[in-house]
Amino acid sequence: MKKLVFVTQNKNKLEDAKKLLPQFEIEHVDFEVPEIQSLDSKEIIAAKLEFVWRKLKKPCFVMDTSLALECLGGFPGPFIKWWFEKTVGEEKTCKIANLFGEHGCVWTTVLGYFDGKDSHFLEETLKGSIAEKPRGENGYHWDTVFIPDGETRTTAEMTFEEKQSYAPTRKLLERLKDIVQ
């Protein structure tokens, strides 16, 4: 079985990768990777890959996810982890969208893979909206407030398989398979 090295501190992302890439052995490397402050996810990924390569000296992949709220001109974008875990959270995110009366948002995930010679940057986006209030028990991060376009349920109200029919993660990992095979 071919091995893929995934550097992440997010156990949920690791579990998703294992489920979505059953044909690979996913080697999990868990250490803190400095994240530069930038609104450009590709720039963030490039810096992460450079740091990880210097530390591991083996091919690996990293991911960065952002959520851009239209009512805030695209903010928090790549600062979403800080936004949800440290300051604003799900309830206030819904209240902000309600206050502005503008619920549109875009979920973007960038995956970076470095094979020791070439860097590969893959990006997928999903348009959606912020729910009027948090709903659902499944998933993680903003799943309780994100509704994909064409849906009425948040991704936290969906099964793993239903969420992955929309999620950028599945699409990115499918594209990664083509690169590493």
Side-chain angles (χ1 to χ4, degrees):
M1 182 178 288
K2 190 161 181 141
K3 185 185 291 190
L4 274 173
V5 178
F6 185 15
V7 180
T8 184
Q9 289 192 299
N10 186 319
K11 303 285 189 221
N12 294 305
K13 285 182 182 180
L14 173 65
E15 290 308 311
D16 287 357
K18 286 180 176 181
K19 288 177 189 173
L20 295 167
L21 294 171
Q23 66 276 54
F24 290 93
E25 176 187 342
I26 305 292
E27 178 185 333
H28 178 217
V29 177
D30 181 354
F31 61 80
E32 190 167 335
V33 177
E35 190 165 304
I36 64 168
Q37 299 303 297
S38 174
L39 291 173
D40 182 345
S41 292
K42 186 175 176 185
E43 189 178 330
I44 293 168
I45 287 291
K48 283 183 177 184
L49 281 175
E50 183 180 327
F51 178 85
V52 169
W53 177 256
R54 282 195 316 257
K55 193 161 177 115
L56 296 179
K57 298 283 192 243
K58 58 182 167 181
C60 61
F61 73 99
V62 297
M63 297 172 78
D64 191 70
T65 303
S66 66
L67 185 66
L69 304 180
E70 290 176 7
C71 65
L72 296 179
F75 192 76
F79 304 114
I80 193 65
K81 180 179 176 183
W82 165 82
W83 176 274
F84 262 83
E85 293 179 12
K86 308 282 187 210
T87 58
V88 179
E90 60 188 7
E91 292 280 343
K92 288 182 184 174
T93 298
C94 293
K95 287 180 181 180
I96 290 167
N98 292 338
L99 176 69
F100 283 102
E102 189 174 355
H103 292 259
C105 61
V106 178
W107 166 1
T108 302
T109 302
V110 178
L111 182 150
Y113 175 73
F114 185 65
D115 60 16
K117 192 178 354 174
D118 296 314
S119 293
H120 303 269
F121 298 95
L122 310 173
E123 181 177 313
E124 291 286 341
T125 61
L126 176 61
K127 291 184 178 188
S129 60
I130 299 297
E132 290 185 11
K133 64 181 182 180
R135 303 189 318 249
E137 301 294 323
N138 301 323
Y140 53 97
H141 292 309
W142 63 76
D143 283 333
T144 58
V145 303
F146 184 84
I147 302 170
D149 276 358
E151 259 295 339
T152 57
R153 299 173 296 162
T154 67
T155 50
E157 294 175 296
M158 299 177 185
T159 65
F160 176 79
E161 292 77 17
E162 289 172 324
K163 175 186 171 183
Q164 292 307 318
S165 70
Y166 295 100
T169 309
R170 180 190 53 80
K171 295 172 188 166
L172 288 169
L173 294 175
E174 287 291 324
R175 292 172 59 196
L176 177 63
K177 282 193 308 192
D178 294 338
I179 293 170
V180 297
Q181 295 213 26

